[in-house]
Amino acid sequence: MVHSSYGRLEQAELPVPSLKDDQVLIRVRAAGVDPGVFYRMTGIPYMMRLFGFGLTRPKQPIAGGDVAGVVEKIGEKVTRWKVGDEVFGAAVGGFAEFVAAKESLLARKPAELSWEQAAAVPTSAVTALRGVREAGPGKRALIVGAAGGIGTFLIQLHDGEVTAVCSGGKAALVRRLGAAHVVDYTKDDLGTGTYDVVYDVFGSRNVNVLRKRLTPNGKLIILGGMSKGKLTGLGRQFRAIGLNLFVKQQLKVLIAFPSQADFEDLRERLAAGALVPVLDRTYPLSEAKQAIDHVMAGRARGKSVVTP
Ligand SMILES: NC(=O)c1ccc[n+]([C@@H]2O[C@H](COP(=O)([O-])OP(=O)(O)OC[C@H]3O[C@@H](n4cnc5c(N)ncnc54)[C@H](OP(=O)(O)O)[C@@H]3O)[C@@H](O)[C@H]2O)c1
């Protein structure tokens, strides 16, 4: 599925990608969908076009960023993988039958996981993992946007009591994942309690609204940004960074770039059954646009994937 111009996604026949020395060729079995796929497809927020995504059209025309699949071929300097290995990880251009991926941004797929579950992991679970590391252990946490791609991993990864904020129909899901309490934001916004940590996953609320749910020394961790800002999309984040200089609470903005260590950490938890991906919908690759639209409607229940 290619976006040769911003905003258009269409099916096309392309050659199998060639490999750099540190890359492997993966036969894709499933590819994860997250809001990042939409941003790369549309080039919005516009600021990302200045940061290497392509000024007038996408530099990387194939959509997708997370995959699970089988190693089909290896680059000359690849040492970690051999043909036939089953892997998952980050691979830009994953909405395809084949994709080239950096060997360090892959981990072995635990046998317990389906292809779809493994493809659901990379971006969302790495982001959750980084959030949890920023929070530290033993903290009482409020997760705003708890039932979506990042949130369903975050509930499971956070080390401490979790209160999940989601729409009422997802209360049973977030409780099953380990949330001790649930706030239905459609009735009670963020509730009335205060917490050591607030994870802002959905990313639509004013920073001062979120701060009211923090203890005096609490930490706000901003992960998401479902804002309407088309220029940078980061207006709230910039305001939080500025405000952080003047308040006692800590206001952190976190952008997660995955590493080999992250994927290894997640692989261990997945193999031990301590982390279980929640699958929302599976779409055929030809319906990738519908899959992206579903995620961007903002009502996800876990993760959606596409399969070639
Ligand atoms: N920081 C990073 O490095 C990083 C990496 C990846 C993604 N992100 C960003 O993180 C954000 C979330 O990503 P995601 O994949 O988790 O999204 P997602 O899968 O679409 O989940 C969003 C969730 O938010 C809930 N929600 C909708 N409106 C809400 C509201 N007003 N208040 C509270 N919850 C609400 C939705 O369900 P209900 O309404 O039914 O509860 C849904 O479950 C996106 O902005 C994405 O771009 C950041």
Side-chain angles (χ1 to χ4, degrees), residues 24 26-31 66-71 80-82 84-90 103 105-122 263-273 275 277 279 305 307:
V24 304
I26 298 172
R27 180 184 287 274
V28 178
R29 299 295 301 268
D66 295 343
V67 294
V70 182
V71 174
R80 295 182 66 218
W81 307 111
K82 60 180 189 330
D85 283 346
E86 298 186 348
V87 295
F88 70 98
E103 71 159 333
L105 294 182
L106 299 171
R108 195 169 298 281
K109 180 181 90 63
E112 298 78 5
L113 257 61
S114 66
W115 293 111
E116 289 81 358
Q117 284 178 306
V121 172
F263 286 125
E264 281 308 313
D265 183 331
L266 291 168
R267 186 194 60 76
E268 280 173 28
R269 295 172 195 256
L270 292 160
L275 185 65
L279 284 183
V305 297
T307 53

Side-chain angles (χ1 to χ4, degrees), residues 246-264:
F246 303 100
V247 299
K248 207 167 157 203
Q249 296 154 330
Q250 295 178 66
L251 314 177
K252 298 276 178 185
V253 172
L254 201 151
I255 295 177
F257 297 101
S259 71
Q260 184 174 330
D262 294 327
F263 286 125
E264 281 308 313

